[in-house]
Amino acid sequence: MSIALSEQEIIRRESLQKLRELGINPYPAEAFDVTAWAQDINDNFEANPDKYKQVVIAGRIMTRRIMGSASFAEIQDSTGRVQIYIKRDDICPGEDKTLYNTVFKKLLDIGDYVGIKGYVFLTQTGEISVHTEELIVLSKSLKPLPVVKREDDGTIHDGFTDPEMRYRQRYVDLTVNPEYKNIFINRSKVISSMRNYFNAQGWMEVETPILQPVHGGAAARPFATHHNTLDMGLFLRIANELYLKRLIVAGFDGVYEFGKMFRNEGMDRTHNPEFTAMEIYVAYKDYIWMMAMVEECLETVAKAVHGIPVVHVGQHEINFAGPYEKLSMYDSILKYTGIDVSAMDEEGLRKVCADLAIEVDASMGKGKLIDEIFSAKVEHNLIQPTYITDYPIEMTPLAKKHRTKDGLVERFELFVNGKEIANAYSELNDPIDQRERLEEQLILAGRGDDEAMAMDDDFLRALEYGMPPTSGLGIGIDRLVMLMTNQSTIQEVLFFPQMRPEKKAKAPSIEDFTNIGVPAEWVPVLNKMGFNTVEELKAGNPNKVFNDLGGMRKKLKLDITMPVKETVMAWFE
RNA sequence: GACUUGGUAGCUCAGCUGGUAGAGCAACUGACUCUUAAUCAGUGGGUCGAGGGUUCGAACCCCUCCCAGGUCACCA
């Protein structure tokens, strides 16, 4: 809480006080029954004017054009903006014109919530407007919103564009830039259409632990935390895969979860430390089956958002209708580099990396080296949905060995627009094989790979009881939403992307002041008066400081006790 | 983490070679009964991201730091 109020904030607080003095509660408790919305009025009034002879709307005042005893304003609700017309003598039929002259013209501001009762009509210039018969204050805004001006042709003036402020104050962003709400509406459609599709297949939505004693199911650095009562370390999950498989062991045929995952790694336009993943496991299926399911699912999602399976992303038209192109990992490298790495050992792969100028380090095993080559040379070429299949066993400890190809596993990743958005296996259900594979991960960890997977004995115990053949799939929801909404940064599809803490508006040590007897609540006032250090204060004139404190208290409408003069004098001793 | 661009009024931004901090919108006072980026007249509003340095003098030059964007690196 800052006491250093701007001029406009002080004026709004004064307006708030004056509203109360007029007997108007600026924050009424009663429900306000809204009967009409801006978009509906704008879309349907002209075709059906009789329906709009008595409407009640509510929203924020976003613009005002006052012309003496008549005014226009725009009210923004959750659906858009509609113009209202206010005539003084209509809302103030008697002698008392306070509601118009004082409340509307002086005490209300841009950003305030009001309720409007009236009828819809067409102005002389043809704009659909609500003729106001009653004006009700619903909530007073104390901070001025940025004023973004829009012309009829869509030209924007003084846009609120600073990404730092947009992300830190998303509530302001979406208020003054309501077009961004569509991204989040579409995000919701992506998730709900996918959920509906899964439910229609008879699969069950579940929840699994976010706090996990062992971080398994993926290769990533975790966030560590601690439970006090149990006095034990816990990790925020980097994946939920191993828990969902336990549920397949438990006897469910299909389980899925939309959930937040947490990875303690770098941040950029495709990575946020917490992100949303969807994982689904279906018993008695394999990764071939899963490819067809993903095609059907993503086509459903694209249609839910756009009505058609074709999505415009950057320069590309991406078609989510299946079937998608399939390319094995080795074939894709062959296709885009001309090099056949399928039979190479680690040494050969290192040489290929050196020839292609790909940076590697000593901790990388064979699988990791192949992945490096793929990332550097293939990935960005995969624009239309493409399955990359049959990964080397070394980089995939949780997938079943390939049914015919030695050294490979039954895995695919789906690439769209050069980015991975889904990953699926025929899940490894051989408990002995699984134990060996996790032990190999421990060896990688020993070589310095700090992302190698950890051993999870309880998961292995579950497998030993027996897991049916199962196919599993993970989809990065944020990246899918980026695709479906044509956004190039993850921040734009997250309401509250992770940010560094805002710097405190320079807090000259409060303790320094309290140590000489200044009450803590008065320190910011002294700062506002220009005394940022005790030394500066002591150089001042005690009598003037005392008088000015009273002045500031009045000016800033502070509800704190004025210190007596002797107290103030003591600060200077 | 590296490089790079930026941080000036509530918002969007100017600010030349170092010489008294500016505009538009918003706010305030006033005029105006169909405006719509309303208009007209007037007024107030600043820790120039923070701290140090150079200088007679710093928004501007130098150093350190903070925050954000971009590019790259890292990263299923």
Side-chain angles (χ1 to χ4, degrees), chain A residues 249 429-432 435 457-467:
Chain A
V249 171
N429 63 345
D430 174 342
I432 294 170
R435 184 176 293 279
D457 288 313
D458 177 72
F459 169 65
L460 287 168
R461 178 168 62 189
L463 286 192
E464 285 169 6
Y465 282 105
M467 182 172 88

Side-chain angles (χ1 to χ4, degrees), chain A residues 216-221 238-239 263 265 368 441 449-453:
Chain A
R221 280 186 284 268
I238 57 173
R263 297 189 183 178
E265 289 168 350
K368 188 94 174 162
Q441 289 290 306
D449 184 346
D450 56 0
E451 292 176 351
M453 233 172 262

Side-chain angles (χ1 to χ4, degrees), chain A residues 23 26 48 108 113 122 163 267 300 379 398 409 472 506 520 530-531 565:
Chain A
N48 202 350
L108 290 183
Y113 278 90
L122 219 48
M267 293 165 55
T300 302
E379 205 174 300
L398 301 171
V409 292
K506 181 169 105 183
F531 300 113
K565 188 166 185 185

Side-chain angles (χ1 to χ4, degrees), chain A residues 7 19 34 38 47 56 101 260 306 308 366 370 418 472 475 546 566:
Chain A
E7 177 192 32
L19 283 174
V34 175
V56 182
N101 286 340
K260 280 286 180 73
H306 296 285
I308 53 171
K366 191 177 155 188
I370 290 169
I475 293 181
F546 175 70
E566 289 69 30

